[in-house]
Amino acid sequence: MILYQGTAKEFSDIVETNQIIPKLEAAFRAKLGRKLPPNETGAYSNSLSFMERVVRRSGVADDCGILIEYVIPLTSNRIDFVIAGEDDAGNKNFIIVELKQWQTAEATESDGIVRTFVGKATRDTTHPSYQAHSYKAFLSDFNEHIGEGTINAHACAYLHNYKQRDPEPLTGEPYMAVVKE
């Protein structure tokens, strides 16, 4: 399932004119036969406004592809946001962006796990960089073009509401390797 697919220019235009939520609601209804939950509507509205600014300010070419809510084949995992296109050398690339609305988080002793307020409580959950990296790794294993490097995959997390601290728990040990990746 893909809730939205278009060019970077089209994405910027529909976010700027407040048409992204109606498009997502219509796609959700058409593909899943139900309404978009109110909590997801708010999350999309917030996160996609931030992503529109990222796309516009970063110089992503107008003809690059944008996907929202790409379901990874053979799983129930959904990639929040994908930017796809060619670089200056003509290489095919895509970037997986894991979006989080977290404001704070804490490190834990568990590998790839952090603690944050999510789902109306403080919980242990997957580190967002680890989550994005695992999506990239799965797609690399699943698709020979990605696995062989014909298409270059990149992954990152964007915590647009997050308030960084010094020292920052999400970039320290034991998370440093996956954040760098």
Side-chain angles (χ1 to χ4, degrees):
M1 174 182 81
I2 297 171
L3 281 187
Y4 173 82
Q5 180 175 337
T7 66
K9 172 77 168 111
E10 292 165 343
F11 172 72
S12 288
D13 289 347
I14 66 168
V15 170
E16 194 173 291
T17 59
N18 292 317
Q19 295 303 306
I20 188 67
I21 298 303
K23 280 201 177 285
L24 294 177
E25 288 172 334
F28 204 86
R29 205 171 9 267
K31 294 179 182 201
L32 298 175
R34 57 190 173 93
K35 291 179 80 170
L36 186 64
N39 64 322
E40 287 192 42
T41 301
Y44 285 130
S45 183
N46 186 19
S47 294
L48 296 178
S49 292
F50 279 97
M51 284 308 301
E52 187 279 329
R53 285 192 292 270
V54 167
V55 168
R56 182 172 27 89
R57 291 178 180 170
S58 67
V60 168
D62 286 348
D63 64 346
C64 283
I66 301 291
L67 301 176
I68 298 171
E69 294 296 343
Y70 172 71
V71 175
I72 299 173
L74 306 175
T75 76
S76 60
N77 294 327
R78 301 183 307 183
I79 297 174
D80 296 330
F81 199 89
V82 176
I83 304 169
E86 293 183 356
D87 59 26
D88 292 338
N91 300 308
K92 295 178 182 178
N93 297 276
F94 70 94
I95 304 167
I96 294 167
V97 183
E98 179 59 31
L99 298 169
K100 298 293 185 200
Q101 296 194 65
W102 302 354
Q103 294 183 0
T104 63
E106 299 296 330
T108 70
E109 297 298 318
S110 302
D111 186 35
I113 302 296
V114 297
R115 186 169 295 117
T116 190
F117 189 82
V118 63
K120 299 181 182 179
T122 300
R123 305 177 194 278
D124 287 357
T125 189
T126 306
H127 188 290
S129 293
Y130 182 85
Q131 188 176 354
H133 173 73
S134 68
Y135 294 162
K136 175 186 158 190
F138 183 88
L139 289 174
S140 294
D141 291 342
F142 183 78
N143 184 300
E144 71 180 278
H145 296 289
I146 299 167
E148 293 173 357
T150 307
I151 301 172
N152 300 311
H154 308 276
C156 65
Y158 183 29
L159 287 69
H160 50 78
N161 294 337
Y162 194 78
K163 294 168 182 51
Q164 280 194 313
R165 296 175 293 181
D166 188 15
E168 175 50 54
L170 292 184
T171 58
E173 287 294 333
Y175 313 118
M176 196 177 309
V178 76
V179 170
K180 284 182 181 180
E181 172 63 27

